[in-house]
Amino acid sequence: MLKERVTMYLTESKEKLKSAEKNIELGFIKTAAHEIYYAARALVLALEGYVPRDKASTWRKIRDFKRAGIVTKYVPEEIQRCYAYRRRVDYVEIREEIKITEEGIKQAFKISQEFVNEAERILKDRNFI
């Protein structure tokens, strides 16, 4: 059951990354920002089966993954930036203090891609998938 869930959500993460990449190519950077965040979120779903409702608990889960060796390159500020882009896009009324630029989104995409790829490699090594 765990292997099935991990495989399903890891596949979802990779699909979100492909969607983000295509949206960047087409110049739809706001849509890409949304997909980038959800790629990392799907990884949390894969490992936990749920995503905590509040931001602090989500970051705590990702830190737990780092302590467990599931991700090793976790930098809170980088993941936080991906989240801030997504909030800025999805909740215009919040007026998130972050400017969405093509270069910023490309960097966020790279961060999310590395995060998902590294987790996949480690999960394979540990026979989770």
Side-chain angles (χ1 to χ4, degrees), residues 28-94:
F28 301 128
I29 59 172
K30 290 182 178 180
T31 303
H34 179 84
E35 297 293 88
I36 287 165
Y37 169 76
Y38 281 100
R41 184 177 182 274
L43 182 61
V44 176
L45 279 166
L47 298 170
E48 292 293 315
Y50 71 99
V51 173
R53 292 194 182 272
D54 65 287
K55 180 176 65 170
S57 295
T58 300
W59 302 149
R60 220 174 2 263
K61 287 293 179 193
I62 295 172
R63 281 193 305 269
D64 291 346
F65 298 157
K66 183 173 184 175
R67 283 189 205 105
I70 305 266
V71 291
T72 59
K73 298 177 184 176
Y74 167 67
V75 177
E77 295 78 17
E78 292 177 343
I79 301 294
Q80 176 66 26
R81 192 167 46 251
C82 293
Y83 179 74
Y85 285 140
R86 196 277 306 184
R87 280 178 48 89
R88 178 70 179 94
V89 168
D90 288 355
Y91 304 104
V92 178
E93 70 278 7
I94 291 177

Side-chain angles (χ1 to χ4, degrees), residues 3 6-7 15 19 38 45 67-68 99 103 126:
K3 279 188 177 186
V6 170
T7 299
E15 288 174 3
S19 176
Y38 281 100
L45 279 166
R67 283 189 205 105
K99 184 174 178 165
E103 188 55 41
R126 294 182 179 190

